[in-house]
Amino acid sequence: MWARALAGLLAGFFVAAAAAGLITWVPPGPWQAVIVPSMVAFIPLWMLAALWAFAFRTGLRAWLWLGATAASGFGLLWLLRHFDWVQ
């Protein structure tokens, strides 16, 4: 249980950060217009990621899934910054 809780808190933080980044970068227009809504959405997203960690049987699976989700989210953000249509 402690491994899943730590996965939810630590890896879930990065999942929520990647999701908040996608909320900021994907909509059309300047990113400054949506920075406040994405920061407001960060805490509920972090709580959802922390709860998601308890859906797995073991702490290792929770770490792997949340870590892979966070890595893919940041990877997608890294790819999106190279497109002109994403500001």
Side-chain angles (χ1 to χ4, degrees), residues 22 24-31 76 79-87:
L22 289 171
T24 303
W25 279 89
V26 170
W31 63 269
L76 185 59
L79 286 174
L80 284 176
R81 74 179 186 161
H82 296 293
F83 290 106
D84 289 335
W85 58 272
V86 178
Q87 296 295 324

Side-chain angles (χ1 to χ4, degrees), residues 4 49-58 61-62 66:
R4 289 183 289 175
L51 288 173
W52 184 36
F54 288 99
F56 300 102
R57 285 188 189 195
T58 64
R61 286 186 183 183
L66 274 91

Side-chain angles (χ1 to χ4, degrees), residues 2-17 42 46 49-50 53 63 66-67 70 74:
W2 286 105
R4 289 183 289 175
L6 286 174
L9 289 175
L10 298 177
F13 176 84
F14 292 107
V15 170
F42 174 77
W46 191 10
W63 275 104
L66 274 91
F74 283 118

